[in-house]
Amino acid sequence: MSHRSILIFPEDTAEVIINAIRNAKKSLRVKMFLFTDPALINELIAAKQRGVEVRVMLNPARRSGEEENTATHKLLETAGIEVRDSNPNFILTHEKSMVVDDELAFVKSLNWETKNFTETRDYAVVTAHKHEVDEIILCFEADWERRDFNPGDDAKLIWCRGNGRTRIANFIDEAKHTLFVQNERFQDLVIIERLVRAASRGVKVHVMARPPHTLKKEKLVEGVGGLRIMEDMGIKIHKLKHLKLHGKMLLADGCRAIIGSINLAPGSFDDRRELAIEVHDADIVERLQKIAHHDWENSHPMDLSDAGLLEDLEKRMEESSINKLVLDKDDHHHKKNDE
């Protein structure tokens, strides 16, 4: 079978993932940044109990040192499942993938946390294309054994560290008419430059991001600066209503898309293990086009003025972090007094 399909959350559910685990006959390989969902934990344990070889790689800790996978690690290990920390050659392993029986692979933006199935905009591409499945297996085995992984110039998938920045930059450069981008972070100068150039040559660029207060304090200047540069060049910047934006999606000209785990930030490209996939399948792109328009219609323009940023940040950030942005606080106070 040679086929791809798309899962879009929360419209879809975890059932496709659960059924894939239940249908596994020989093996399951899971690589995950965060894994706490009880139903999926139980499904992996049940697969192990019926004789499936289950191997799981979990990111051991966030950059802050917070260890969120410890309980899951112990539960799986107690059930006899092989569990390892992800490759220490990376600051983080942010990849979210699963391979079933060496035949079917999931490339995802979502973690295996219950909220990612019900509260966030997230995506997963399911592929049975052999060359794509094999590439994910090769990377899994390399990370499992702590070996280098280099898919080379002919890589089918988008990897970090590796071809990630180049593939995404080229994807943007090839856009001719429209470009929808959903991402938590816009901090990488190469990608920001490409988006600005796309807008300058007449591409209608729609950017959906998370509000500045959700940025890490040390990334606030880059994050806000990137959004403001794009807005100054006429790119519309919106924030999603009702759902938390967690998915990473690029859609160009209604005919091709990229889905995966990669945030548009230097750390993701240079220091983390990340995975994304480019697709041209008409049915997938058609559904993504509908979701992109739906989300845009159910979003707000982001207020990136000094007053708007101060209002967004002042209750959530330390004064020293806000000061780094050199915002006009007098303008903000005048605005509030006028109200």
Side-chain angles (χ1 to χ4, degrees):
M1 181 176 66
S2 182
H3 178 69
R4 298 187 193 94
S5 59
I6 183 78
L7 299 174
I8 300 176
F9 301 94
E11 284 80 356
D12 294 322
T13 70
E15 283 305 305
V16 173
I17 297 172
I18 288 171
N19 288 336
I21 296 171
R22 288 177 179 174
N23 291 330
K25 302 293 191 297
K26 298 180 298 182
S27 65
L28 288 164
R29 295 177 178 87
V30 176
K31 194 188 295 185
M32 198 59 57
F33 177 59
L34 296 173
F35 182 8
T36 60
D37 183 74
L40 289 167
I41 292 170
N42 290 335
E43 291 297 339
L44 289 186
I45 292 172
K48 172 64 178 179
Q49 290 172 343
R50 67 173 186 270
V52 176
E53 180 192 22
V54 182
R55 287 187 289 162
V56 178
M57 247 187 294
L58 299 175
N59 186 71
R62 291 181 180 267
R63 286 184 306 168
S64 63
E66 187 178 5
E67 299 179 356
E68 296 169 280
N69 291 321
T70 303
T72 300
H73 192 293
K74 290 178 179 177
L75 282 170
L76 296 176
E77 205 166 48
T78 300
I81 292 173
E82 287 189 88
V83 188
R84 291 188 184 177
D85 287 345
S86 50
N87 192 339
N89 190 35
F90 300 91
I91 292 175
L92 291 176
T93 287
H94 197 238
E95 175 186 344
K96 305 103 161 54
S97 66
M98 178 174 73
V99 179
V100 183
D101 291 340
D102 299 347
E103 296 176 351
L104 189 72
F106 289 69
V107 179
K108 297 167 285 190
S109 67
L110 71 152
N111 294 297
W112 278 5
E113 293 196 291
T114 306
K115 66 181 180 181
N116 286 131
F117 297 106
T118 57
E119 300 175 14
T120 66
R121 168 64 72 227
D122 262 305
Y123 302 94
V125 171
V126 188
T127 178
H129 282 248
K130 184 176 182 348
H131 50 271
E132 293 168 349
V133 176
D134 287 349
E135 206 165 281
I136 296 170
I137 292 172
L138 285 173
C139 182
F140 184 97
E141 296 299 332
D143 284 349
W144 187 264
E145 300 294 341
R146 309 313 197 221
R147 291 184 281 102
D148 288 339
F149 168 71
N150 182 4
D153 295 336
D154 297 326
K156 305 299 181 185
L157 300 172
I158 303 170
W159 295 99
C160 300
R161 294 186 298 254
N163 62 3
R165 183 182 280 109
T166 300
R167 285 283 299 272
I168 291 177
N170 290 343
F171 181 93
I172 296 168
D173 289 347
E174 291 166 6
K176 294 178 173 59
H177 307 292
T178 60
L179 189 62
F180 284 88
V181 186
Q182 291 184 344
N183 205 279
E184 290 182 85
R185 303 175 193 170
F186 292 82
Q187 297 165 355
D188 189 79
L189 290 178
V190 172
I191 301 304
I192 291 168
E193 175 197 4
R194 292 312 210 280
L195 290 170
V196 166
R197 288 188 174 194
S200 298
R201 65 175 183 270
V203 178
K204 293 183 179 179
V205 182
H206 298 75
V207 164
M208 191 166 287
R210 293 183 64 190
H213 73 261
T214 64
L215 295 168
K216 303 289 187 184
K217 294 174 184 177
E218 65 272 18
K219 297 297 182 182
L220 185 62
V221 173
E222 295 96 319
V224 170
L227 294 174
R228 282 181 140 186
I229 288 168
M230 291 189 290
E231 184 181 58
D232 287 345
M233 294 303 299
I235 295 174
K236 295 180 179 179
I237 315 291
H238 277 211
K239 56 184 178 181
L240 190 59
K241 291 192 293 186
H242 309 309
L243 286 175
K244 177 182 175 182
L245 177 62
H246 183 257
K248 300 90 172 69
M249 185 270 282
L250 296 93
L251 174 65
D253 300 326
C255 64
R256 55 198 179 91
I258 290 177
I259 297 290
S261 68
I262 304 171
N263 285 309
L264 302 178
S268 293
F269 291 122
D270 300 326
D271 299 318
R272 298 183 177 194
R273 169 66 80 212
E274 305 270 13
L275 171 62
I277 184 170
E278 182 173 345
V279 295
H280 300 249
D281 311 63
D283 56 337
I284 292 178
V285 172
E286 181 180 359
R287 189 168 179 214
L288 287 172
Q289 184 88 338
K290 290 178 181 177
I291 284 291
H293 284 285
H294 172 273
D295 284 355
W296 194 257
E297 290 169 2
N298 290 275
S299 65
H300 291 298
M302 197 177 292
D303 187 351
L304 295 170
S305 67
D306 281 9
L309 286 170
L310 280 165
E311 188 172 350
D312 179 71
L313 294 171
E314 64 183 2
K315 294 180 181 179
R316 302 173 179 91
M317 287 279 183
E318 295 176 0
E319 187 74 13
S320 59
S321 298
I322 297 175
N323 287 340
K324 291 180 181 179
L325 292 174
V326 196
L327 302 176
D328 185 349
K329 297 183 181 180
D330 290 337
D331 180 60
H332 175 49
H333 293 315
H334 288 318
K335 179 183 176 183
K336 293 188 78 171
N337 291 334
D338 289 342
E339 293 172 352

